[in-house]
Amino acid sequence: MERREIEIFLTVGEELHFGRSAERLHVSVAMVSKTVQKLERSVGAALFERTSRRVAFTAIGRRLFEEVKPAYQELLDAFARAVASGRGVDGVLRVGFLGTATAQFVMRAAELLQTRHPGCEVRLHESRFGDGTAVLRDDVIDVLLVDTFAVPVSTLAPGHSAGPVLFREAPLLAVSARHPLARREAVDVGELARYEVLRPQAPVRPAARTSAPEQVAGGPALGQAARRAAPGGAELLFAPAPAHSSLAPGRAPGSRGVARSTEFGSIQELWALVGGGHGVYPVPSHARVYDARPDVAFVPLKGAPAYAWHLVWLSAAENNRIRAFSEAACDYVAAHPDPLTGSA
């Protein structure tokens, strides 16, 4: 049965009159009659008893009506809910972030969104370094705040959309307070080949759904495509140290040797490894304020690309809530020169 045939059958069943049914549906009486006859041929039995004075259900017709009507209404309701979700702003929006400062930015953007759309509820989700856009594909969140160093727009997998750059931050190098580099005024990105640079853990996902390294932010090498896309010699950030160096220049005095390519899964693991002298790691400038601790020093990193933050979402899942949140985030940035602190 096609949708129009179902509508005609149910309307005739409610009106028990071909003329009134035709008026309700804005079709001719002949079309109503032909449609009912077609359905009866498909069923192989009469659905209505028709005389010049009345229309009544047959037993088969009544049973079909009672079974089809609620099922059809459920389909209509489901479609209406989908339309409301796609076109409306009311409902739940799940927003992902990474780090303390970006969480505060997301919260402020969410507050602005909710002043405009009180029916929209924003739920925050803290991502791990290695998750990348997997949390979008796995339907954990709807939209993710990331930086173009970890997830360059040019390397996004097909089916992803990115909003405009919201704000930028200068790169710093996080090192142990006991590290020789901690006493430097700045470090050139080309020097990092001599030191052990920590790496985010790749996400643990089912084998059938695991993405290629280029599509997972923070994979074992940030993805070859991501490193090629990074300007300013940033491809050296994750280059291995020379085999003969034994990492001596990169060790803080008194630190214990660890296996190469030490990985971390969370921010706290990162700071523990850096503070313990087990490696260095490039970070955005807000880390100096929001992640300050006595065993970690932050040194300006020259020649590395800036951290440019933007929102990412699945193209097929884009809806008015995502668009409204992106607009609120842009408006908040326009009104606050320092969006991470909220300074106007």
Side-chain angles (χ1 to χ4, degrees):
M1 297 174 69
E2 297 181 359
R3 177 177 177 178
R4 195 58 169 168
E5 294 172 344
I6 296 174
E7 290 177 340
I8 291 175
F9 169 69
L10 293 177
T11 303
V12 173
E14 292 169 353
E15 296 289 345
L16 293 179
H17 192 283
F18 280 37
R20 289 196 298 270
S21 298
E23 291 179 6
R24 274 182 57 180
L25 297 171
H26 304 289
V27 297
S28 66
V29 175
M31 176 176 286
V32 172
S33 180
K34 289 180 180 179
T35 299
V36 170
Q37 292 172 5
K38 178 182 177 182
L39 292 176
E40 288 177 329
R41 288 194 299 270
S42 298
V43 172
L47 301 176
F48 298 97
E49 294 177 351
R50 301 183 285 279
T51 67
S52 59
R53 295 187 176 184
R54 62 188 293 271
V55 175
F57 275 117
T58 63
I60 293 176
R62 179 171 296 280
R63 184 168 67 248
L64 181 63
F65 177 84
E66 292 175 348
E67 293 177 351
V68 168
K69 184 175 182 179
Y72 183 63
Q73 188 60 51
E74 287 183 8
L75 289 174
L76 295 179
D77 293 344
F79 187 77
R81 288 192 295 270
V83 171
S85 178
R87 298 180 180 176
V89 179
D90 289 359
V92 175
L93 180 68
R94 303 164 299 172
V95 182
F97 65 93
L98 179 66
T100 306
T102 53
Q104 294 190 22
F105 170 76
V106 167
M107 181 66 75
R108 294 184 181 111
E111 290 170 352
L112 178 57
L113 172 66
Q114 290 175 313
T115 61
R116 299 173 174 178
H117 305 282
C120 182
E121 176 188 353
V122 178
R123 296 178 184 173
L124 303 188
H125 172 86
E126 183 176 10
S127 299
R128 291 171 62 86
F129 267 93
D131 287 344
T133 57
V135 287
L136 292 170
R137 297 189 298 275
D138 292 343
D139 195 30
V140 176
I141 60 173
D142 303 303
V143 62
L144 175 66
L145 178 66
V146 295
D147 65 87
T148 51
F149 183 84
V151 184
V153 173
S154 60
T155 65
L156 283 174
H160 291 72
S161 295
V165 172
L166 296 170
F167 54 92
R168 289 180 170 83
E169 296 184 83
L172 302 174
L173 185 66
V175 302
S176 168
R178 298 172 293 150
H179 197 291
L181 293 178
R183 297 186 291 273
R184 298 269 295 274
E185 292 185 0
V187 177
D188 190 274
V189 67
E191 298 180 60
L192 295 191
R194 301 170 52 203
Y195 302 95
E196 175 153 0
V197 181
L198 302 174
R199 302 172 188 271
Q201 293 175 350
V204 178
R205 310 176 67 220
R209 302 184 64 186
T210 299
S211 298
E214 292 83 356
Q215 299 174 2
V216 178
L222 279 190
Q224 293 296 324
R227 290 192 287 138
R228 286 196 298 270
E235 67 278 359
L236 296 177
L237 289 178
F238 292 86
H244 64 273
S245 70
S246 300
L247 295 176
R251 293 278 184 242
S255 65
R256 296 169 54 192
V258 294
R260 287 204 50 72
S261 302
T262 302
E263 297 184 346
F264 61 91
S266 68
I267 292 178
Q268 294 308 315
E269 290 177 12
L270 167 63
W271 299 134
L273 289 168
V274 171
H278 299 308
V280 300
Y281 195 74
V283 295
S285 56
H286 74 250
R288 176 178 280 165
V289 176
Y290 287 91
D291 298 294
R293 46 187 287 166
D295 58 344
V296 176
F298 299 95
V299 186
L301 187 59
K302 297 170 57 178
Y307 284 80
W309 295 88
H310 59 114
L311 297 172
V312 174
W313 59 88
L314 293 181
S315 304
E318 182 175 337
N319 55 34
N320 276 0
R321 281 191 293 277
I322 293 176
R323 287 187 284 269
F325 181 77
S326 180
E327 181 179 348
C330 290
D331 291 346
Y332 181 84
V333 169
H336 299 82
D338 188 352
L340 293 181
T341 64
S343 299

